[in-house]
Short mmCIF file of all heavy atoms in Angstrom, two decimals:
data_model
loop_
_atom_site.label_atom_id
_atom_site.label_comp_id
_atom_site.label_asym_id
_atom_site.label_seq_id
_atom_site.Cartn_x
_atom_site.Cartn_y
_atom_site.Cartn_z
N ASN A 25 104.88 89.55 73.77
CA ASN A 25 105.28 90.78 74.48
C ASN A 25 104.27 91.19 75.54
O ASN A 25 104.21 92.37 75.93
CB ASN A 25 105.45 91.91 73.46
CG ASN A 25 106.55 91.64 72.46
OD1 ASN A 25 107.73 91.79 72.76
ND2 ASN A 25 106.17 91.21 71.26
N LEU A 45 82.78 107.57 77.63
CA LEU A 45 81.80 106.49 77.51
C LEU A 45 80.73 106.60 78.58
O LEU A 45 79.52 106.60 78.29
CB LEU A 45 82.50 105.14 77.60
CG LEU A 45 81.56 103.93 77.72
CD1 LEU A 45 80.72 103.76 76.45
CD2 LEU A 45 82.34 102.66 78.01
N CYS A 62 90.80 94.20 75.93
CA CYS A 62 91.08 94.65 77.29
C CYS A 62 92.55 94.53 77.67
O CYS A 62 92.98 95.10 78.67
CB CYS A 62 90.22 93.86 78.29
SG CYS A 62 90.59 92.09 78.37
N LYS A 72 85.44 98.56 87.16
CA LYS A 72 84.98 97.83 88.35
C LYS A 72 85.05 98.72 89.58
O LYS A 72 84.13 98.73 90.42
CB LYS A 72 85.82 96.57 88.53
CG LYS A 72 85.36 95.66 89.66
CD LYS A 72 86.23 94.41 89.72
CE LYS A 72 85.81 93.49 90.84
NZ LYS A 72 86.68 92.27 90.89
N TRP A 100 86.71 87.04 78.21
CA TRP A 100 86.51 86.04 77.17
C TRP A 100 87.65 86.11 76.16
O TRP A 100 88.09 87.21 75.78
CB TRP A 100 85.20 86.29 76.43
CG TRP A 100 83.99 86.34 77.32
CD1 TRP A 100 83.85 85.76 78.56
CD2 TRP A 100 82.76 87.02 77.05
NE1 TRP A 100 82.60 86.02 79.07
CE2 TRP A 100 81.91 86.80 78.17
CE3 TRP A 100 82.29 87.78 75.98
CZ2 TRP A 100 80.62 87.32 78.23
CZ3 TRP A 100 81.00 88.31 76.04
CH2 TRP A 100 80.18 88.07 77.16
N ASP A 103 88.80 86.25 69.03
CA ASP A 103 89.39 87.07 67.98
C ASP A 103 88.35 88.11 67.56
O ASP A 103 87.17 87.79 67.40
CB ASP A 103 89.76 86.17 66.79
CG ASP A 103 90.62 86.87 65.76
OD1 ASP A 103 90.43 88.09 65.54
OD2 ASP A 103 91.47 86.20 65.16
N LEU A 109 78.95 87.25 70.55
CA LEU A 109 78.51 88.08 71.67
C LEU A 109 77.01 87.91 71.92
O LEU A 109 76.25 87.69 70.98
CB LEU A 109 78.81 89.55 71.39
CG LEU A 109 80.28 89.90 71.10
CD1 LEU A 109 80.39 91.36 70.68
CD2 LEU A 109 81.15 89.63 72.32
N ALA A 121 92.08 101.68 71.73
CA ALA A 121 93.29 101.21 71.02
C ALA A 121 93.17 99.75 70.62
O ALA A 121 94.10 98.97 70.80
CB ALA A 121 94.53 101.43 71.88
N ALA A 141 75.25 93.63 69.92
CA ALA A 141 75.50 93.29 71.33
C ALA A 141 75.07 94.39 72.29
O ALA A 141 74.94 94.15 73.49
CB ALA A 141 76.98 92.98 71.54
N ASN A 157 93.94 107.15 56.24
CA ASN A 157 93.32 105.96 55.68
C ASN A 157 94.35 104.97 55.10
O ASN A 157 94.06 104.22 54.18
CB ASN A 157 92.27 106.34 54.64
CG ASN A 157 91.27 107.33 55.23
OD1 ASN A 157 90.75 107.10 56.32
ND2 ASN A 157 91.05 108.44 54.55
N ALA A 182 77.08 101.09 59.98
CA ALA A 182 76.81 100.01 60.93
C ALA A 182 75.61 100.32 61.83
O ALA A 182 75.24 99.47 62.66
CB ALA A 182 78.04 99.75 61.79
N PHE A 184 75.21 103.35 63.75
CA PHE A 184 75.52 104.21 64.89
C PHE A 184 75.31 105.68 64.54
O PHE A 184 75.50 106.09 63.39
CB PHE A 184 76.96 104.01 65.34
CG PHE A 184 77.23 102.69 65.99
CD1 PHE A 184 77.74 101.62 65.26
CD2 PHE A 184 76.97 102.50 67.34
CE1 PHE A 184 77.99 100.39 65.85
CE2 PHE A 184 77.22 101.27 67.95
CZ PHE A 184 77.73 100.22 67.21
N TYR A 191 90.51 114.63 69.96
CA TYR A 191 91.87 114.13 69.69
C TYR A 191 92.67 114.14 70.99
O TYR A 191 92.48 114.98 71.86
CB TYR A 191 92.54 114.99 68.62
CG TYR A 191 91.81 114.94 67.29
CD1 TYR A 191 90.82 115.88 67.00
CD2 TYR A 191 92.08 113.95 66.36
CE1 TYR A 191 90.12 115.82 65.79
CE2 TYR A 191 91.40 113.89 65.15
CZ TYR A 191 90.42 114.83 64.87
OH TYR A 191 89.72 114.77 63.70
N PRO A 202 98.07 112.11 68.26
CA PRO A 202 97.98 110.98 67.34
C PRO A 202 96.71 110.14 67.48
O PRO A 202 96.45 109.28 66.64
CB PRO A 202 99.21 110.14 67.69
CG PRO A 202 99.47 110.44 69.14
CD PRO A 202 99.08 111.88 69.32
#
Side-chain angles (χ1 to χ4, degrees):
N25 297 282
L45 171 65
C62 65
K72 185 178 179 180
W100 304 336
D103 191 325
L109 303 173
N157 307 311
F184 290 96
Y191 298 91

